[in-house]
Amino acid sequence: LLYCRGHLLPRKLALIMMPSITMAAALMSAALLILQAQSFAPPTSSLCYRSKVSPQLQQLKPKKSSYTTSLHLYNKFHEYAWEKLHYNDESSYASTVPDNLKTNKSPVKGSDNNVVACIRSMSEFRKSDTTSNNNVEALRLVRSAFLETQTDSSEALKSPMAIHVLNFVMFPTTHIRDASSGAPVGLPIFGADIVSLPGNKHLVALDFQPVLPINNDDESSANMFPEQYSHLESKLLAIHAKYQKGSDEATEPLLAWGGDIPPQALRWFSPYALWTRLSDENAIQTVSTTVWDAYREYVDLYFELMDAVQEDLDDGKLEIIPGDEKNNAVLSGQREYLEYRRINDPARPMLQRLYGKDWAEELIDGVLFPTL
């Protein structure tokens, strides 16, 4: 039996009507998508805060359907990486974000919800209070853009019609050279883009992005890491295979490949790029579990690489030569990457629509992809 306008329909009639009902649902979803895309009011300033969960909400059991209100979709992703950098409220001294760009919010028309932006960027890092050398030189810049749809009580809203975005990038120092040969050391950029958009569409890209040209057609011969760190590149290969390749031809990967990458963007993708699209009814659950696991493994390995580089800097095996710009392919590579992203940032239209053109352009040019 099926309810229709408050009446019970016989099973046979319900089955006859099912295609029409399905089509209507599809059309309704499309209409809602269009309405949602046009439903944001002009932006206003806001404080950037972490979502807090009330005790009452903590006791609620989530429904099986992914089309429910839940909490903290990407906050744990955001905080996981920053906590590894020992980021806290006292880290503001190292912030490179102008006050007017640190946070913003865009009210959602027809509701009490807001799309809240939190922007972080640092260029000075500390390992720990007990480390003798607290100036971590392997990294030159880490920054993130975190957008979260929140309710009027500052709780993250997780639904198929909400916007949640995390863009997290770590840039290694460009002036590192081998102490014995004097050759520049080309270290990859860490990039993570995890995006949920209205219509239950989720996009995930995790990568160690090359700054020097590589053979990205064959991960077995990419040789993207400097030779002394090749064992870590082998680890990356294994992590990538774990999530994007089945154990055999008959086994589906944990995260299916997201499709062809545009030719003009291939230069900035490695063979180890984890790239997937999710849109089924279990998409949000997959993001919270499988994608979460993959994200942590990629982040952990990148910090392992940076720790190894810092160790070699401390031991004198590597050295930093500030101001060395002649014949520095690493510096040129990062500059080309930043220019490409400034011009082609796919988040630009969304940021402009939510927070206004001036704010979005200042953020992209001055914080997310600043001139080097």
Side-chain angles (χ1 to χ4, degrees):
L1 296 176
L2 179 75
Y3 274 102
C4 183
R5 294 188 179 181
H7 300 285
L8 287 170
L9 298 178
R11 183 172 181 274
K12 288 185 179 179
L13 181 57
L15 289 173
I16 293 172
M17 291 183 63
M18 196 64 70
S20 298
I21 293 171
T22 303
M23 179 64 73
L27 291 173
M28 180 64 73
S29 297
L32 285 171
L33 245 175
I34 294 170
L35 288 171
Q36 181 74 11
Q38 298 174 344
S39 66
F40 293 99
T44 59
S45 298
S46 169
L47 293 176
C48 185
Y49 41 76
R50 293 186 185 183
S51 301
K52 295 181 180 179
V53 188
S54 65
Q56 293 83 359
L57 283 170
Q58 285 179 332
Q59 296 172 3
L60 292 178
K61 294 182 179 180
K63 298 179 182 179
K64 291 183 179 180
S65 170
S66 61
Y67 301 129
T68 59
T69 298
S70 303
L71 302 171
H72 302 308
L73 185 57
Y74 292 154
N75 187 65
K76 64 180 181 181
F77 291 78
H78 185 238
E79 297 304 323
Y80 182 80
W82 281 107
E83 285 173 4
K84 283 186 168 291
L85 291 162
H86 305 283
Y87 181 90
N88 53 43
D89 294 337
E90 297 177 359
S91 302
S92 58
Y93 75 93
S95 174
T96 61
V97 185
D99 288 343
N100 66 308
L101 297 178
K102 288 181 178 178
T103 182
N104 208 335
K105 72 175 180 180
S106 179
V108 181
K109 286 183 179 179
S111 74
D112 295 325
N113 302 332
N114 296 286
V115 182
V116 178
C118 178
I119 312 300
R120 289 181 188 171
S121 180
M122 290 177 61
S123 58
E124 295 180 38
F125 309 97
R126 295 169 63 89
K127 279 188 175 179
S128 71
D129 293 336
T130 58
T131 304
S132 57
N133 180 6
N134 280 328
N135 296 316
V136 181
E137 302 163 300
L139 288 168
R140 72 167 186 85
L141 181 69
V142 177
R143 95 295 176 282
S144 65
F146 176 43
L147 275 62
E148 187 175 63
T149 302
Q150 296 182 354
T151 65
D152 59 343
S153 55
S154 305
E155 294 157 353
L157 174 68
K158 186 168 69 174
S159 83
M161 301 309 294
I163 290 177
H164 294 273
V165 176
L166 174 62
N167 172 245
F168 183 83
V169 182
M170 292 188 276
F171 295 91
T173 300
T174 56
H175 294 84
I176 300 177
R177 290 185 176 268
D178 186 278
S180 57
S181 68
V185 177
L187 300 167
I189 296 168
F190 176 84
D193 286 285
I194 311 175
V195 179
S196 292
L197 297 173
N200 194 38
K201 299 181 186 300
H202 309 267
L203 311 174
V204 179
L206 307 174
D207 198 11
F208 285 48
Q209 299 176 274
V211 296
L212 301 177
I214 61 167
N215 175 15
N216 61 5
D217 293 328
D218 182 6
E219 61 185 23
S220 65
S221 61
N223 296 324
M224 190 171 71
F225 289 18
E227 186 177 353
Q228 62 267 46
Y229 310 121
S230 60
H231 62 291
L232 296 177
E233 186 165 1
S234 296
K235 276 190 177 182
L236 181 57
L237 188 155
I239 294 171
H240 178 259
K242 173 182 175 181
Y243 290 97
Q244 294 233 267
K245 292 187 177 181
S247 56
D248 53 57
E249 293 184 359
T251 306
E252 291 291 326
L254 292 174
L255 295 168
W257 179 247
D260 291 343
I261 295 170
Q264 65 272 21
L266 279 175
R267 163 71 177 85
W268 309 112
F269 280 81
S270 81
Y272 317 114
L274 191 157
W275 159 230
T276 192
R277 300 171 186 261
L278 303 167
S279 58
D280 60 21
E281 62 179 7
N282 298 317
I284 291 179
Q285 179 66 19
T286 301
V287 169
S288 298
T289 54
T290 308
V291 173
W292 169 235
D293 291 341
Y295 173 80
R296 285 182 294 171
E297 289 198 55
Y298 269 71
V299 168
D300 289 350
L301 183 60
Y302 193 82
F303 277 108
E304 188 176 347
L305 173 61
M306 291 297 105
D307 287 345
V309 171
Q310 187 62 46
E311 226 175 271
D312 287 344
L313 283 167
D314 293 342
D315 292 343
K317 297 176 183 177
L318 300 176
E319 57 185 359
I320 294 178
I321 306 178
D324 177 22
E325 298 192 10
K326 292 183 179 179
N327 302 316
N328 189 337
V330 177
L331 177 62
S332 298
Q334 280 207 27
R335 283 175 170 169
E336 290 170 11
Y337 170 85
L338 289 165
E339 183 179 8
Y340 176 83
R341 291 300 305 267
R342 272 195 300 271
I343 296 172
N344 300 284
D345 186 11
R348 176 178 272 107
M350 179 178 65
L351 290 172
Q352 289 181 350
R353 177 169 59 83
L354 289 174
Y355 307 114
K357 182 177 180 180
D358 291 344
W359 191 88
E361 291 303 316
E362 188 177 352
L363 176 68
I364 292 170
D365 293 345
V367 178
L368 300 186
F369 307 106
T371 301
L372 178 60

